[in-house]
Each structure stands twice: as structure tokens, then as C-alpha cells.
Amino acid sequence: MKYPDPRRIAAQLFPIVQWSRQYGADVAIGDVIAGFTVALTLIPQSIAYASLAGLEPQYGLYASFIGGFVYGVMGTCPQINIGPTALLSLMTFTYTNGTNPDFAVLLCFIGGIVQLVAGTVQLGFLVEFVSLPVVSGFTSAAAITIASSQIKGLLGLKFSAESFLGTWEGVFKHILETRLQDTLLSLVCCITLIGMKALKDIHIKDPEGEKGRRRAVIIQRTLWLAGVARNAVVVLLASIIAFFVHQDKEDPLILTGNITPGLPTPQPPPFQTSVGNTTYTAGGMFAHLGSGLLVVPLVGIISNVAIAKAFARGRTLDATQEIIALGACNVVGAFFRSFPVNGSFTRSAVSDSSGVRTPAAGFYTGIIVLLTLALLTPYFYFIPRAALASVIICAVLQMVDIAIIKRLWASSRLDLIPLMGTFVCCLVLGIEMGLICGVGIDVILLLYYHSRPPLDVEFVDNGILPSHYAIYPVGGLHFAGAERVRAKLIVLRNSKGLQRSTPTPETLRGIPDNGPYANVANGGNILETNVVANGTTVAAGTPNRTYLSSNVRKLNVLVIYCDGLYRMDYTFLQSIKMMVTEWSQSGSIVWCNAKPVIREQLESVLNNAAFCDSEQLGVLLHSLSVIEEQQPQVEVIGDTQL
């Protein structure tokens, strides 16, 4: 018995074992720059996303450092940064609103276990059942919901709301309570963020001279860094303004307030907690989190795998390892009071443009976050909530994918149904129910496609073979389309209503040279030039088999070409059995090029089924024509005898 190699398993489970062997100073410099740059984006985002999740600001920092360390050891995509994201923060708020941070930490832990199990048992393929239109509708609706939830922060309003509709209802009810100072600050922050975002896209022309080129490079990199670090710059400037205008008795601006300083104490995830006078056991906490225990990790998996695919650039992606790494980040993070996390496309793009080389960039980002927790948390008191709301809105609005509507309209308009259905359901019913509805719409469309397989019946009268009916099933035939296919094959119209088939060079070459139809006309000579027959070009060098189809009587034979058929379920087989019985009353059915598994399935329900391959088809049809010539020429179409 051969045992698995432990070193190979370790290298697969911990990719750091492989890439660390070539890790040198040149690689480390790229990772340090990327790690520091991502930290400038991550720290203000994590504070804002903690507020979005309904938690105190320090929880955003708790969720920001451990993911970088764990993913650096187990991850495969250098660009990905694991931490709080707008989408999972909103979903965390959805399932834990009105409770305490213990519920968010437990959601992180159980979600991580679900992801680990999904990766361990190779369930990554389930992600493929969520179509891109559903994902796009879901993320766009989530972005609008997140942006809407921050409107009250922009206007300085204070009210409680959980849903998209509830938020806007609250805005209209409290619009007269708008605070001018917070509104003006948020407006300035949004304009500054949008303007600074454009800085990194400015390209300076190369001046003449070495000194001028060096200066241009410095300016270019400074503009790029300012654009990338715009969140940190805006939050810092807003905090300075808030510090100088702050008054002890009256707050001109709504501030973040006190933040618990220091690092989190490692401890097991809570399985019992108290909210007010109510004590929740593990069962009560699970019941309260409900479907979030599956929906949150599923959304995290979809997002992370999508980001990894986007930055794979043609390289083979181990989706299973990505899922395992994400699960480990959440499980370990729960011991440090983290709420659910996953990869962020924005931060991953920043990391990529910063020259990241390996997943070790997460180590440096995590170290900077730890230093921030240890040294800078007292200064976060003066961060205005309007500035954090501006950061969130400017970050999530780019998640709205409007361009996909044009692409779907040009390529697959039917996919607009799951896109718009998911989008509307997410806004009206909530993002978790909207995702479920979107998947349900996809399932309905799949059943619709299966119930209408493309099995158009052709009447083949091309002069090469005796005329017959033909169908070309592709893929699998399932119960949903059984009766429709049977009805289409049994209730055949007369041959005038069917599409006639013309010969192709491949068809001509498929007839055996020594078969019964090899030399019906012109002695079977070889074509010396290209010939156009019935709109089809027959290449020179092809045996000339121009047959007089008018002299060949039509056969009531159905040839089912099984080249592209790989499976039929039990219900469809029973329908086929009935169809063969009905057709055999006035004709025959031939199964051509059936794979062994298809032949075995058919033989289990049919007696004396006629099987052949392409080379035998002409001989078989010829023999059937001889049999029919010896019988009365009666054709049954539907219930009518001709």
C-alpha cells in the first residue's frame, strides 16, 4: 500500500513552502511596498466597514490583521488582501443587528468552518451554479443598498433602519433634521475622493534629459500614491478639521468617539452571550443567525474565487485551495474577535499596481495594522462619521455594473431576466433573499432549457443515402423534455414541412467506396475540380457520388445520430420506449454512432434495437428500403394513412 507523501500534502496545503525557497531581497521590496500601500487603504476602510456592520471601530481593525498572516501562508494569489469588505459587513449587520459583537464573531467562526468543509470535500464546483448575471445583479444591488445605508451619515441624521426601503423611508421622515456641518463635510470629502482617484491615472510625458525624466518619475509615483492613499488622506484631513472645531459641550460634527485601544486578547469564539437581560446559548445564537450561517460563507467564496480568477491572468487557479485559505482566515480570525472577512477587489487592484510579488505582502499589511492598534487608536476619536460614510459610498459605487446590461443585450438577452430579477429582489426583499431568488430564477431557466432540447427533425433527401428522417441530440436528455421530444418525433408533418438536408464533403466521404450506393451514377469517378452541389462546395479529389434522389422512394425511417449524446435519464428512456413502439407501427428507428454507455441504456429498455456506425448506415438503410419495397407503401403520419 502506497502512503501519501506528507511533504507533498504540506506543500499543497501551505503554498508558502514552495514560493519561500526563491524569496529574496528584490521580491521582498515589492511586497513591502505593496503591503504598506494596501494598509493605507485598508485601515480607514476597516474602521468604516465596522460601522457598516453595526460594530465599534476597533472591530474593523481586529478583522484586518489576522487575514493577511493566514492567507500569506495558505493563499495562492499574491494580489488578494483578506479583510473587511462592504458586502460582508452589510450582511453581518443584516444577521446580527440588535445583538452584540459576540454574534458577529460566532458568524465568522461558523462561516469559516463551512468554507473549510466546502474546500475539503471539493465543493468548489458549486460556485459555478451561480451565474455571472446573478452575481452582477447581487453585487450591484448590494452596492446601492450599502450606499443608501450611508446617506444618514452624509446628512448627519440619526435613525435606525435595516433595509434599502426602510433607509430611504427614514431619510424622508427625518430630512428636516439634516445637519449642515456634516453635510458640507461629506460633500467636500466625496469631491476630494473622486478627484484624488483620478490622480493615479494621470500620465506625464517623458521630458528630455536624464534629470527631467527622474523628476517626471518622482511626480508620477507621487500622484499615484496620493490616488491610492486617498481614503487615508481624506480621513486624516477630516479628523484634523474635527479636532480644531471640536467643542466639549456642543459637537459641530458627529464623531466616531472612543475606541478601545490595544490588541485583542486571543480567546475561543463565544458560544454563549447576553444581550440586555436575555441570555443566549449556542442553540439560540445559531437560531438567530439562521440562514446567514450558509449565505455569508457562500458569498465570501463567490467573491474570493472571482477575484482570484480576475488576477490569475491565464495561470491555473486552485479554487479549492483558495476556499480552504479563506475558511482558515475566518476560523483563526474569530479567535481574535474578527467578523466575517474575504478578499477585496479594490485592495487587490492596489496591491497589483504596487508591484506585489508573493502573498507575503499580507504579512507587512498585518504588521502595520497591529502597530496602528497598539499606538494610534486614541487618535481615532476625532474621525467624523461623515468622512467614513463618504469613504464607503465612493468605494462601493464602483461595484455597480451597468455595462453588463449592454453586453447581455448584445449576446444573450434571456440572461437579463436573472440579472434584473436578482437586482430587484435584493433591493425589495433584502440581499440574502435576493441571492436565493436569483439562484431560483437560474434553476427555472435551466429547467426551461432542458424541457426544450434543440431536437429539430430534418428530412434528409440529399441523393447520397435513401431519404429518411434525422435528429442530432447533443448533451444529456432528461425528464423535463421527455414528453416534448416524444410529441415532436411522433406527430411528424409531411416531408414538405421539414428541412431538407444537402450533402457536404464530410458526408460524401463518409459513404463506403464499396457500399451499395458507391456507384449509382457516373461510375464513382473522382472529381477533378471543386463542384458546388445544392449550395455546398465539394472539394476536388472527392469520389463523385451524384445520386438521382428522385428515383429513390422515401423511407419512413428515423435515424438518431448519437455522436453528441452522453446521457439519458430513466424518465426519458421510458418515453423513448413508448416512442419506438409507436414509430415501429409504420417504420423503423436506427441509432447511429451510439457510445457504449448510451447503447447499454437503450438495450435495457428496447428489444432488437438497430445500432450502426456511419460506415454501416448506408448498408442498413439500403436493406430497410428493400424490406419496404416488399411491403404495401403505406405511410402513417399522426393518425392519418397515406
Side-chain angles (χ1 to χ4, degrees), residues 113 195 213 266 450:
I113 291 178
R213 281 194 291 270
H450 278 299

Side-chain angles (χ1 to χ4, degrees), residues 559-560 590-594 599 609-618 620-621:
V559 178
I560 301 178
V590 176
W591 304 86
C592 184
N593 297 329
R599 181 164 182 164
F611 296 94
C612 70
D613 55 30
S614 297
E615 295 182 354
Q616 300 167 340
L617 181 59
L620 182 57
L621 291 180

Side-chain angles (χ1 to χ4, degrees), residues 509-529:
R509 295 190 185 97
I511 305 301
D513 292 335
N514 57 355
Y517 295 97
N519 295 285
V520 173
N522 298 332
N525 56 304
I526 303 299
L527 293 177
E528 298 179 359
T529 60

Side-chain angles (χ1 to χ4, degrees), residues 456-460 468-470 488 492-501:
D456 294 330
V457 183
E458 294 181 357
F459 177 63
V460 180
H468 59 278
Y469 299 106
K488 183 183 288 188
L492 284 175
R493 301 292 187 262
N494 56 43
S495 60
K496 294 180 181 180
L498 296 173
Q499 179 182 354
R500 292 179 177 271
S501 176

Side-chain angles (χ1 to χ4, degrees), residues 284-342:
M285 296 177 75
F286 291 153
H288 183 87
L289 294 173
S291 60
L293 297 173
L294 292 177
V295 174
V296 171
L298 173 63
V299 172
I301 288 174
I302 294 173
S303 301
N304 229 63
V305 173
I307 295 171
K309 285 183 177 179
F311 288 99
R313 295 188 176 90
R315 293 182 286 107
T316 301
L317 174 67
D318 189 350
T320 298
Q321 179 61 26
E322 283 297 307
I323 296 173
I324 292 176
L326 178 61
C329 289
N330 279 292
V331 169
V332 178
F335 286 83
F336 294 88
R337 305 293 291 172
S338 169
F339 59 91
V341 296
N342 71 322

Side-chain angles (χ1 to χ4, degrees), residues 333-415:
F335 286 83
F336 294 88
R337 305 293 291 172
S338 169
F339 59 91
V341 296
N342 71 322
S344 164
F345 191 88
T346 302
R347 296 196 297 268
S348 298
V350 169
S351 182
D352 182 61
S353 59
S354 302
V356 67
R357 303 288 294 276
T358 71
F363 298 157
Y364 307 113
T365 300
I367 291 173
I368 295 174
V369 175
L370 286 175
L371 293 175
T372 301
L373 270 169
L375 304 175
L376 300 180
T377 48
Y379 303 100
F380 292 159
Y381 177 92
F382 292 98
I383 297 178
R385 289 194 177 274
L388 296 179
S390 302
V391 168
I392 293 175
I393 288 179
C394 291
V396 301
L397 285 182
Q398 61 186 344
M399 293 166 54
V400 180
D401 189 4
I402 300 177
I404 193 174
I405 297 177
K406 183 178 180 180
R407 296 195 298 269
L408 291 180
W409 184 264
S411 59
S412 178
R413 297 181 183 179
L414 196 61
D415 281 331

Side-chain angles (χ1 to χ4, degrees), residues 163-211:
S163 64
F164 170 78
L165 298 179
T167 297
W168 282 104
E169 182 181 356
V171 169
F172 287 119
K173 284 183 177 180
H174 298 82
I175 192 66
L176 296 179
E177 303 172 11
T178 299
R179 293 168 56 96
L180 180 61
Q181 305 94 315
D182 293 276
T183 303
L184 290 176
L185 178 62
S186 61
L187 181 62
V188 172
C189 289
C190 288
I191 294 175
T192 305
L193 286 168
I194 295 173
M196 293 185 69
K197 181 181 179 181
L199 291 178
K200 63 185 182 66
D201 298 323
I202 297 177
H203 295 284
I204 300 177
K205 295 181 180 180
D206 293 335
E208 296 182 358
E210 183 66 25
K211 185 176 180 180

